Amino acid sequence: SGFGSNGGKSAGEEEEKKSARKLTRGGERQSGTILQQMADTKEAQGEHDTSTENVDDSNHDPHFEPIVSLPEQEIKTLEEDEEELFKMRAKLFRFASENDPPEWKERGTGDVKLLKHKEKGTIRLLMRRDKTLKICANHYVTPLMELKPNAGSDRAWVWNTYADYADEAPKPELLAIRFLNAENAQKFKLKFEECRNEVKNKETKDPAKNDTAEKMAEKLEELSVKEESKPPEKKDVSPEKKNEENQ
């Protein structure tokens, strides 16, 4: 009987161990599943965070305050006091007589303008290069200026100016301008001649200014002639120096 009781006890213990192993295995499987689910959740959250960070980086626009704040300055072009009478795109050339052999050189492409001063009534031709806005032609329209066809072309004109200020210092230039077509060239010529006649009529109505200018020019010529014909000044020699020379 004792053997039987011990055997029964052993069988019960075996069953309990089996049940415990099953529970352990089931718990391990369940915990493994839970851990896997947690890992998948974390990975998904990481991917979501990464994508969110990328979106934030692409939309991120940092703003930095300048160390030194410079006030805005208004740049004057000296056109503020003038009325724009004409404006059209063209290409400008100058005759480089200083070259050997002399040749036509391109000065730039841009808008050529005819501007009239609101107070003085003077009219000037102004042209700036595209983008850089550098001046390539800047001179007054005078009654003696005449546009002539360039090599028989119906869209280009040639004229002389005695004082072009494109390079700041005035100098005489032979200029040529070419337009897109003959129609634009004719529009420029008509407006140019209209401005030239207006300046001519203005000078005719106010001859006093012309007389004054001519008198000033004559005086300057007289002064230059006098200075050239004036004999060199004799240096005064003191009596002491004379005695030294005689000795």
Side-chain angles (χ1 to χ4, degrees):
S1 62
F3 179 79
S5 61
N6 289 337
K9 187 176 179 181
S10 298
E13 288 177 355
E14 287 294 329
E15 288 179 0
E16 287 179 0
K17 287 180 179 180
K18 287 181 180 179
S19 300
R21 281 197 291 269
K22 287 180 180 179
L23 289 172
T24 303
R25 287 172 185 170
E28 287 177 353
R29 290 196 192 99
Q30 189 174 5
S31 62
T33 304
I34 293 171
L35 289 172
Q36 185 64 38
Q37 289 176 351
M38 291 175 66
D40 293 342
T41 304
K42 285 183 178 179
E43 186 178 353
Q45 287 178 350
E47 291 177 357
H48 177 71
D49 293 342
T50 305
S51 61
T52 306
E53 288 175 2
N54 293 334
V55 171
D56 292 342
D57 290 341
S58 61
N59 296 330
H60 185 56
D61 185 14
H63 174 71
F64 299 99
E65 291 293 335
I67 299 174
V68 179
S69 59
L70 299 175
E72 293 184 1
Q73 293 185 353
E74 183 181 356
I75 300 175
K76 293 187 177 182
T77 61
L78 302 180
E79 299 178 35
E80 294 80 11
D81 299 329
E82 294 173 307
E83 176 188 357
E84 186 180 287
L85 304 177
F86 181 88
K87 178 181 176 181
M88 188 170 287
R89 185 175 173 80
K91 182 174 286 188
L92 188 75
F93 302 84
R94 68 173 290 268
F95 190 69
S97 57
E98 68 276 7
N99 290 3
D100 187 20
E103 59 181 341
W104 285 102
K105 302 282 287 185
E106 182 178 339
R107 261 204 172 178
T109 302
D111 291 329
V112 59
K113 299 179 183 179
L114 292 171
L115 304 171
K116 181 180 180 180
H117 199 278
K118 296 176 182 177
E119 295 180 2
K120 300 177 183 178
T122 55
I123 300 176
R124 66 169 174 151
L125 183 146
L126 177 68
M127 185 170 176
R128 296 178 184 272
R129 295 188 183 97
D130 287 337
K131 297 180 182 179
T132 61
L133 300 179
K134 186 177 179 180
I135 294 174
C136 52
N138 181 25
H139 64 78
Y140 287 111
V141 176
T142 65
L144 299 177
M145 285 183 181
E146 183 181 358
L147 297 180
K148 297 180 180 179
N150 181 24
S153 174
D154 60 353
R155 61 190 186 105
W157 305 107
V158 179
W159 74 98
N160 278 293
T161 174
Y162 294 105
D164 182 66
Y165 291 83
D167 298 327
E168 294 185 2
K171 61 180 180 178
E173 293 282 8
L174 177 61
L175 301 175
I177 193 166
R178 187 173 68 202
F179 293 90
L180 181 64
N181 49 48
E183 183 182 356
N184 290 352
Q186 285 298 323
K187 288 180 180 178
F188 172 75
K189 184 181 181 183
L190 289 173
K191 198 63 183 179
F192 187 93
E193 290 179 346
E194 180 184 325
C195 293
R196 183 190 65 184
N197 293 333
E198 183 178 340
V199 172
K200 185 177 181 180
N201 294 334
K202 182 177 178 296
E203 290 184 358
T204 305
K205 290 178 182 178
D206 193 5
K209 290 184 178 179
N210 292 337
D211 294 341
T212 304
E214 289 177 2
K215 288 179 181 178
M216 289 292 293
E218 288 175 0
K219 288 182 179 179
L220 288 172
E221 287 179 4
E222 289 176 2
L223 286 172
S224 61
V225 170
K226 285 180 181 178
E227 287 179 357
E228 289 176 2
S229 59
K230 191 176 180 180
E233 295 181 358
K234 293 182 179 179
K235 294 182 180 180
D236 294 332
V237 181
S238 61
E240 295 178 357
K241 287 186 178 181
K242 283 184 179 180
N243 292 332
E244 290 177 0
E245 290 175 359
N246 294 331
Q247 291 175 357

